[in-house]
Amino acid sequence: MEKHRIMMADLIIGEPLPWDVFDAAGKLLLVKGHVLRNERQIESLVDRGLFIDAMERGKRRPTAEQVSEPPSALRMINAINRRLEALLVNLPNESKAEEKLLEVATALVRAAISEPEVALAAILLNQQCGIYPIRHSIDTAIVSALVARVMRKPDDEVKLIAVSALTMNVAMLRLQEKLQHSDAPLSPDDSRLIHGHPEEGVRQLQQAGVAQPDWLSWVLHHHENEDGSGYPLGKRGTDIPANAKIISLADRYCARISARHYRKPLLPNAALRDILLTDKNNLDPSLATTFIHELGIYPIGTYVRLQNGEIGVVTGRGPSTTTPKVHALIGPRGAPLAHPCKRDTDKQLYAIRDVLTEEQAASRFTMQQLWGSAAAL
């Protein structure tokens, strides 16, 4: 049998396999039609080296009617979280690290592009998944990939942007986790590590076998600013790679909306406003406009109060950046609704009045209730 290796992105939770799957020695592991039920199955299989008959490679997956459970983008994102943590923590000892990291990026881009609303909502509503440094890199990669897609960048370039975001902080994972649980001032050593992490990250990636110059360049430049005030090289304007600017802006946004031990997250609309006002001299204004258009004034996953007093969650893009789709969860008198009710926020009665914190919203729900099986756990 001529073998073809399959990747993490080929294994979709909830979908029957369209081929028999073998290990490197040719031993049958999974039969055609087997349904992977959870991300742990994928994690336990992916390192074993999975292969299919090359003659079967082109066969299509079953139709929707044949699928017992539609695939969940949220499950895949959570599986990627654990997979990425294992790869980055063990990077110095990881064989074929470049290939494995690209495989993870491919799976993440596929999940984000197939279900962008779920992927963006997960940034705000799935913050309990994994340790902060890994989750933040994944969040940044999701935003970066979706913005790059809107900018009509080629698929291979989108994947490289995503993998650059996933690995941008590889040199400071332990420090990020330490700072996540501390409100102490930065020590001189911590400050040096932070300002040196782009260069050190490139060095570690190169030692692990990463040789793609764009990938390494975007990691190196993801903290440079338009006005030359960034680090580590103090580059400015057009001297900074355009794709590093995408990662940089996504990094800033995702950092501001993430909960930390020592501070509460900014509300999503406030985070965007803070970036545009505080960092306005550091940003490419045309890129900032693209971000606002893609994320909206009220990003997906934001808790909101409507003019009629209902409380709900932004679940999708609407006719404009200020009129997103919202599903109401709590009625005007504070009682939970029997089921989420879709509201058109371009109508005066359902216009957004306030943005709320999770505590202020005080609503219990699962992402699956709002986005269906694509957000199942």
Side-chain angles (χ1 to χ4, degrees):
M1 177 185 76
E2 183 182 352
K3 294 185 296 184
H4 169 73
R5 188 173 186 271
I6 59 174
M7 304 296 184
M8 186 180 189
D10 295 312
L11 301 175
I12 301 177
I13 297 167
E15 283 198 21
L17 290 167
W19 352 260
D20 291 330
V21 177
F22 304 84
D23 66 11
K27 179 182 177 182
L28 180 65
L29 296 177
L30 300 171
V31 297
K32 179 179 178 180
H34 177 86
V35 177
L36 293 167
R37 293 296 182 184
N38 56 64
E39 59 268 22
R40 293 194 182 280
Q41 286 182 285
I42 292 180
E43 293 171 43
S44 65
L45 289 167
V46 74
D47 271 334
R48 299 177 64 175
L50 303 180
F51 298 86
I52 62 172
D53 187 335
M55 297 294 292
E56 299 282 304
R57 182 183 179 186
K59 288 194 174 181
R60 295 184 178 180
R61 291 186 174 274
T63 63
E65 291 76 14
Q66 297 172 302
V67 176
S68 59
E69 179 187 352
S72 168
L74 184 59
R75 283 200 196 113
M76 179 56 77
I77 290 169
N78 286 351
I80 288 166
N81 188 302
R82 284 188 285 271
R83 175 68 171 151
L84 181 65
E85 181 180 356
L87 286 173
L88 294 185
V89 168
N90 191 49
L91 188 64
N93 305 311
E94 202 70 56
S95 63
K96 299 183 178 179
E98 180 178 292
E99 179 183 332
K100 291 175 181 178
L101 289 166
L102 284 170
E103 180 183 337
V104 169
T106 300
L108 183 63
V109 170
R110 176 178 290 180
I113 289 174
S114 65
E115 297 290 346
E117 294 178 348
V118 172
L120 289 172
I123 295 173
L124 289 168
L125 303 177
N126 193 42
Q127 293 198 12
Q128 76 284 356
C129 178
I131 61 173
Y132 171 74
I134 301 300
R135 188 181 71 246
H136 173 67
S137 296
I138 289 173
D139 293 345
T140 302
I142 288 171
V143 174
S144 299
L146 291 175
V147 168
R149 181 84 168 182
V150 167
M151 296 173 72
R152 301 183 182 279
K153 293 184 180 290
D155 291 346
D156 286 346
E157 190 171 340
V158 173
K159 182 171 67 175
L160 272 185
I161 291 170
V163 80
S164 300
L166 291 176
T167 56
M168 63 183 179
N169 293 330
V170 64
M172 56 178 288
L173 296 179
R174 290 180 176 82
L175 177 60
Q176 277 189 303
E177 183 63 6
K178 184 186 85 170
L179 297 178
Q180 170 71 358
H181 300 287
S182 171
D183 55 3
L186 289 175
S187 70
D189 285 344
D190 290 343
S191 294
R192 281 193 294 272
L193 198 157
I194 289 171
H195 284 84
H197 84 267
E199 291 175 304
E200 175 61 16
V202 168
R203 186 190 69 79
Q204 290 184 17
L205 289 168
Q206 287 176 319
Q207 283 195 331
V210 174
Q212 299 201 35
D214 286 338
W215 177 350
L216 297 171
S217 174
W218 302 338
V219 169
L220 178 64
H221 291 94
H222 77 277
H223 278 295
E224 300 291 351
N225 291 330
E226 287 292 305
D227 62 358
S229 63
Y231 60 88
L233 305 175
K235 290 192 175 182
R236 63 174 64 234
T238 55
D239 291 332
I240 306 169
N243 290 334
K245 295 180 183 182
I246 293 175
I247 296 168
S248 175
L249 189 46
D251 181 18
R252 297 176 200 215
Y253 168 72
C254 293
R256 281 167 165 83
I257 62 174
S258 292
R260 310 288 184 92
H261 173 78
Y262 54 89
R263 68 158 173 80
K264 292 184 177 180
L266 288 179
L267 294 172
N269 62 327
L272 291 170
R273 184 169 61 248
D274 185 61
I275 290 170
L276 295 177
L277 293 177
T278 307
D279 298 347
K280 62 182 179 180
N281 295 326
N282 302 336
L283 303 177
D284 180 334
S286 63
L287 184 58
T289 300
T290 302
F291 265 72
I292 294 294
H293 183 267
E294 179 62 14
L295 294 174
I297 301 299
Y298 307 105
I300 295 170
T302 301
Y303 293 96
V304 293
R305 180 184 285 112
L306 307 181
Q307 287 293 347
N308 69 342
E310 291 179 336
I311 291 175
V313 174
V314 175
T315 53
R317 296 176 61 176
S320 73
T321 57
T322 58
T323 58
K325 292 190 296 184
V326 168
H327 277 75
L329 300 167
I330 297 176
R333 292 183 174 85
L337 299 176
H339 55 82
C341 296
K342 184 180 176 181
R343 302 304 189 200
D344 294 324
T345 57
D346 56 340
K347 296 180 179 178
Q348 186 174 358
L349 180 65
Y350 301 124
I352 293 174
R353 186 203 305 176
D354 302 307
V355 175
L356 306 176
T357 65
E358 183 179 0
E359 291 77 16
Q360 290 171 328
S363 176
R364 296 176 65 86
F365 66 95
T366 67
M367 287 182 61
Q368 186 173 3
Q369 287 176 278
L370 300 180
W371 290 277
S373 58
L377 286 174

